[in-house]
């Protein structure tokens, strides 16, 4: 357990990350979530991470509201990632200790957290599975 206290994101993050662009249509996003079994995609523009889109963000579009009891499916599927993504997101750096990542995941119920470098470029993602792996060894 004491070894875990010294471990950082760099040793456990996934570096090869699939990303999406702001212009991707919602109808394309759903099948991607299913195919890749991801819970979130970083959104990139000109090599910089500008947002995060999660399964929850996509599902929120279809929520029933007092003003709209039956969401217009076809209209909603024409929305883009830019329409549903989160542009203010929590991220970590590769030198962040895993204890901090664990705290963020528990506190905010995150399944994964983007790893950003000094140039605000995506360096990878750290997931719950990665943290569990670090705890085991």
């Amino acid at each position: 357990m004491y070894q875990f206290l010294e471990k950082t994101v760099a040793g456990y993050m996934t570096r090869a990350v699939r990303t999406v662009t702001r212009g991707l249509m919602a109808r394309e996003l759903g099948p991607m979530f299913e195919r890749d079994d991801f819970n979130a995609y970083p959104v990139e523009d000109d090599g910089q991470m500008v947002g995060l889109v999660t399964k929850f963000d996509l599902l929120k579009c279809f929520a029933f509201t007092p003003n709209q009891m039956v969401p217009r499916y076809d209209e909603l599927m024409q929305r883009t990632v830019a329409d549903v993504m989160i542009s203010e997101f929590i991220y970590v750096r590769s030198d962040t200790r895993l204890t901090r990542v664990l705290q963020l995941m528990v506190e905010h119920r995150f399944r994964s957290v983007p790893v950003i470098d000094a140039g605000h470029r995506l360096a990878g993602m750290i997931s719950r599975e990665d943290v569990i792996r670090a705890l085991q060894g």
Side-chain angles (χ1 to χ4, degrees), residues 14 17-24 29 32-33 38-45 48-61 80-92 104-105 108-116 120-127:
T14 301
V17 177
R18 289 198 177 150
T19 62
V20 297
T21 62
R22 294 181 203 202
L24 185 74
L29 192 57
M32 287 178 65
F33 278 127
F38 291 168
N39 290 300
Y41 287 102
V43 182
E44 283 189 316
D45 189 13
Q48 290 197 324
M49 187 169 170
V50 295
L52 191 67
V53 64
T54 67
K55 285 180 181 176
F56 183 72
D57 298 323
L58 183 61
L59 290 174
K60 278 192 309 191
C61 295
T80 64
V81 166
D83 296 327
V84 299
M85 72 180 202
I86 304 164
S87 56
E88 293 182 19
F89 53 92
I90 293 174
Y91 62 89
V92 295
L104 289 169
M105 287 179 168
H108 298 282
R109 297 183 179 263
F110 291 150
R111 293 180 181 219
S112 57
V113 181
V115 182
I116 304 294
H120 216 70
R121 298 198 185 293
L122 181 67
M125 293 285 282
I126 185 87
S127 69

Side-chain angles (χ1 to χ4, degrees), residues 70-108:
V70 180
R72 294 184 200 100
Y73 180 81
D74 290 331
E75 188 177 305
L76 293 173
M77 292 305 274
Q78 293 297 323
R79 296 178 103 183
T80 64
V81 166
D83 296 327
V84 299
M85 72 180 202
I86 304 164
S87 56
E88 293 182 19
F89 53 92
I90 293 174
Y91 62 89
V92 295
R93 301 222 184 263
S94 61
D95 62 350
T96 303
R97 293 202 188 273
L98 290 180
T99 52
R100 176 66 178 140
V101 174
L102 180 57
Q103 178 187 13
L104 289 169
M105 287 179 168
V106 170
E107 196 173 302
H108 298 282

